[in-house]
Amino acid sequence: MASLSSAATVCAAASFEHAAVSIADIHGKVPRSFRHEFHGRPVASVRLTGSGRHSKSLPGPISFSLQPHVVASTSSSSTSSSAMTGSVPASDGGDAPFRQMSPEEHWQWGTPPRLIGNWHGQWRSWKPFESRDEIRSMKSVRKFWATSPDLSTFSQINDWYDYQGEVAKKQPTVGVQWDMSLAEHSLPDGFCHVFNLNARRYDVSRKVDAIWAPLEVADGEGGIQLPLLVEFFFSHTPTSRLGSVIGFEADGAFRASVVVEESLDTNERRPADWVWPTWGPGGVSTRMPDHLPPVPALDDKTMVGTRTILTRNLMVQERENVSWAEEWSTNSAAAAAAIAAFAGEAAGEAASAGETADGSSARPTAVDVAAAGAGFMGRVPEGDEDRYAVFALPQGVVVCAPRSLQLVAGRRFVLSVSWVVGEGEVKRITATWGADGGYERVEGERYTRQG
């Protein structure tokens, strides 16, 4: 599920199993004040406060008091990324310097007044390695409102409904009021999630493109902890945005979702036959496309855009007039060659959705090879292209992710979502973790045809 919406959004749906504070905790099975630890690392001091009732199961509102000076995740020991130093790695290109962004500026990137309101969402999920058919869906109304004239504090309430498919019960945050503030939640290492102290929001454009991502993913035993779910959000118009939640669930299965939201003036649930203002009747398709969306040629010099890099400790690099031909196609030729060779090894083998000898969940397909040629693997670490797969989702969304977590354990890896808005507009957001499992940075790219 970013921006103001990222301030407390689909992590409740996608990553709640990973939350630092459980429903049982809130019911009083832990002291009202405690110090949270994530795999032995102190993260923050937390205070729960409640008054009134906003649901049958939880006291509310709920507010978390976070003390930035005890946040260990900003220390150099938790990550080995060169991006943390503020230097510009050679692969970044250009000579635009990195600069230090303050938590206050980061807050302003993600909380413009136009995002205050009632947002209606349609959420659809697939398990691409297993089937192109939808596995579950739901709808939501999420209300955001300012609680101070200067927008330094705001609150949120979620309402989830119309569950279909693999959804055992309603999301546990229905009807719970979340209170957030600049002073307590905008930290030196990102915006801290209300229900998951290991998660941060990072805004990668002044247009409110953003992600929610876990700071630490190592399981302490040489692997990657589950679930690993990351939320990507793209702004579209002042009243609409699109998002995608991708990653690996608690059982290790890869899941990809599309989230479509429109801002309306009412907080009422929409009827089943409601026509979505931006996406039309029925909203998002229930089936994954068989082909990737068309993109401009890699040598198309009329496609120009911006690229923003934001590191874990809020070092930011902003570049303008970035060439599609130079940036989008990065290492795509190597990716195409690696994947084609990998696919060739599987020639003659029966198609299978089960585990393969290399630990991946499926052999590459023609779509994978085409994706590499189209540049959808552009930020995959060089030489690791055959460890990744690419999938097309409805609405022009394309996902690039490891074929399995076993293939990237102990290695630098990425999760990436591209959105082909149309023939002349493409966007991409890529999140990167280091070999030690520490979050490193996010890159946001936006390209449009000029002239």
Side-chain angles (χ1 to χ4, degrees), residues 3 112 114-115 119 207-209 234-242 261-263 277-279 419 421 425 427 446:
S3 54
R114 68 183 179 88
L115 286 176
W119 290 82
K207 297 180 180 293
V208 203
D209 298 333
F234 299 91
S235 62
H236 184 46
T237 72
T239 60
S240 64
R241 55 187 184 263
L242 178 144
E261 301 187 345
E262 271 89 22
S263 180
T278 302
W279 313 112
W419 182 22
V421 184
E425 184 177 7
K427 306 175 184 181
R446 302 168 65 98

Side-chain angles (χ1 to χ4, degrees), residues 296-371:
L298 292 179
D299 60 355
D300 187 340
K301 292 183 171 53
T302 68
M303 293 290 287
V304 180
T306 61
R307 182 184 178 199
T308 301
I309 298 174
L310 183 64
T311 71
R312 174 176 176 148
N313 63 345
L314 302 188
M315 296 294 294
V316 62
Q317 180 197 53
E318 297 178 88
R319 293 177 57 200
E320 297 182 352
N321 299 317
V322 176
S323 168
W324 159 278
E326 294 177 4
E327 293 294 331
W328 184 269
S329 60
T330 303
N331 81 343
S332 61
I339 293 174
F342 190 58
E345 296 174 4
E349 294 184 8
S352 171
E355 282 289 310
T356 57
D358 67 353
S360 64
S361 298
R363 286 294 188 179
T365 67
V367 172
D368 291 306
V369 180

Side-chain angles (χ1 to χ4, degrees), residues 8-16 158 160 171-173 178 193 195 231:
T9 170
V10 321
C11 262
S15 305
F16 194 81
N158 298 330
W160 309 88
Q171 299 298 337
T173 56
W178 296 355
H193 194 278
F195 267 102
E231 307 157 28

Side-chain angles (χ1 to χ4, degrees), residues 16 19-27 195:
F16 194 81
V21 182
S22 69
I23 299 299
D25 294 334
I26 297 173
H27 274 303
F195 267 102

